[in-house]
Amino acid sequence: MILSPFEWTMARRYLLPGRGEAFIALVAGLSLVAVALGVAALVIVMSVMNGFRAELLDKIVGLNGHAIIQAYGGRLDNWQDVLARARATPGVVRASPLIEQPLLVTYNGRVAAIQLRGQTSDDIARLAPKVTEGRIADIAQGANAVAIGARLAENLGARVGDTITVINPVGRSTPFGTVPRQVAYRIGAVFEVGVYDYDNAFVIMPIPDAQTLLMSGDTIGMIEVTTIDPDRVQAILAPLQPQLQGRAKIYDWGEINAQLFQALAVERVAMFTVLSIIVLVAVFNILSSLIMLVRAKTRDIAILRTMGASRRSIMRIFMAIGVVIGLAGTATGLALGFVFLFFRQSVVNAVQFVTGQNLWDPKIRFLTELPSRSDPWEIAGIAAMALGLSFVFTLFPAMKAAKTDPVQVLRYE
């Protein structure tokens, strides 16, 4: 919508408050603030939701891969053949054998449930950036050392160099029943992935040591697979599934964490819908302020019509006023949203300090910090929605102004 110099001059004049128009200016100002708050709320919430999903996916995939080939019965015999087929599948970046088994661990009188993971030396070495204490190089076959999560170490009160005892309920049989197998391991490293459930339960050791502890022989439980694109993992691994018929099944990251990611998707849609109502209410304020402005300027509009202003010009003038309010509110909202996201953790810490409440408990939210990841297309969509609604809601008052009959208005002047 291109305005002539005359139309832009009149629109700018009506945007500024005049005598007796303070209330109209107040409503217009509130409309601008409401649009800004609505846009900022949408930007903040959607970016945080995207960040939460992305961080959670990165951390989960970083530890579990994009998919696992799970053996029926939990034991995959002749797994080397399956591993070779997985690695030969187009689109597969990495495939590694893996053992996972829930067990118990004791230290200094404390007992905790753990998730034992047996991994290759290469996979264990990939944990190096996550290590907070000790050295991941100490976790080697035959070294009788393990790496444990930071939260598990805190709960047990154990540190690097301490010896923990891992208990396998499936032990040796005796005349008095089955005696659980207990093996002592030295803590060689403490890691922090950033996902509470992992940091609170995982104990990692080389595969041969895990096989010895579990007395499973040369078998594994699953194969971890990483592909070139986590969103296409099903299509990439589809040719492999017929070759595993009767032996194993493929589960991708979405199926493994289905409840979590489906809950995030539903919450994301719900939050967008609810917060969009704020923008809708804001543009209703623009509508009401323009209606009041049209009523207050009826005589001016009639005079402009008698001086030669066309109905289209009058309509463009009032549409420009509403669009400018919406544009200013949208720009302000985007700026507020980005500023909040930049200082988001400081804001969370400040609120926690003032209220004395832990607003970001990793036991509940899995992650240790408030994440954020802005999607440029999503931000553009939010801005387009706000501007589009502002434009649509200016049509009625603009058309009302354009239909003003100067004869009727100025009859008794």
Side-chain angles (χ1 to χ4, degrees), residues 169-333:
V170 181
R172 64 181 184 276
S173 298
T174 69
F176 302 99
T178 301
V179 177
R181 179 177 174 81
Q182 302 184 38
V183 181
Y185 295 96
R186 179 179 59 86
I187 299 176
V190 175
F191 61 87
E192 185 171 9
V193 176
V195 180
Y196 182 83
D197 282 5
Y198 294 168
D199 294 336
N200 190 51
F202 275 18
V203 173
I204 296 176
M205 65 176 62
I207 284 182
D209 292 352
Q211 290 171 334
T212 301
L213 173 63
L214 299 175
M215 298 182 297
S216 60
D218 188 22
T219 62
I220 61 172
M222 62 190 74
I223 293 176
E224 175 188 77
V225 179
T226 302
T227 63
I228 57 176
D229 185 356
D231 293 324
R232 295 180 51 245
V233 63
Q234 289 185 345
I236 292 173
L237 297 181
L240 184 62
Q241 183 63 66
Q243 304 177 40
L244 304 175
Q245 196 70 31
R247 300 180 62 188
K249 182 174 174 56
I250 300 175
Y251 297 93
D252 61 41
W253 61 268
E255 294 175 307
I256 299 171
N257 306 278
Q259 291 183 338
L260 178 60
F261 284 101
Q262 285 178 5
L264 284 176
V266 172
E267 185 177 356
R268 187 169 176 271
V269 173
M271 293 299 293
F272 181 84
T273 303
V274 171
L275 292 174
S276 296
I277 297 176
I278 299 177
V279 179
L280 188 62
V281 171
V283 295
F284 268 111
N285 288 336
I286 296 177
L287 173 65
S288 60
S289 65
L290 285 179
I291 289 175
M292 289 188 292
L293 181 62
V294 169
R295 290 183 63 85
K297 298 296 183 181
T298 300
R299 184 173 179 274
D300 293 0
I301 295 170
I303 293 174
L304 289 174
R305 291 282 288 114
T306 59
M307 294 175 65
S310 65
R311 293 181 183 273
R312 181 170 297 180
S313 292
I314 299 297
M315 187 173 180
R316 281 203 293 258
I317 290 171
F318 284 92
M319 287 178 64
I321 295 171
V323 170
V324 167
I325 294 174
L327 181 61
T330 301
T332 304

Side-chain angles (χ1 to χ4, degrees), residues 330-373:
T330 301
T332 304
L334 291 175
L336 285 175
F338 290 137
V339 169
F340 182 94
L341 291 174
F342 185 80
F343 295 103
R344 63 187 183 280
Q345 196 58 44
S346 299
V347 173
V348 171
N349 294 336
V351 173
Q352 289 181 157
F353 177 78
V354 172
T355 62
Q357 299 293 322
N358 186 1
L359 302 179
W360 196 251
D361 187 354
K363 296 180 182 179
I364 300 173
R365 296 176 175 86
F366 296 95
L367 305 179
T368 54
E369 290 187 353
L370 181 65
S372 172
R373 182 171 297 185

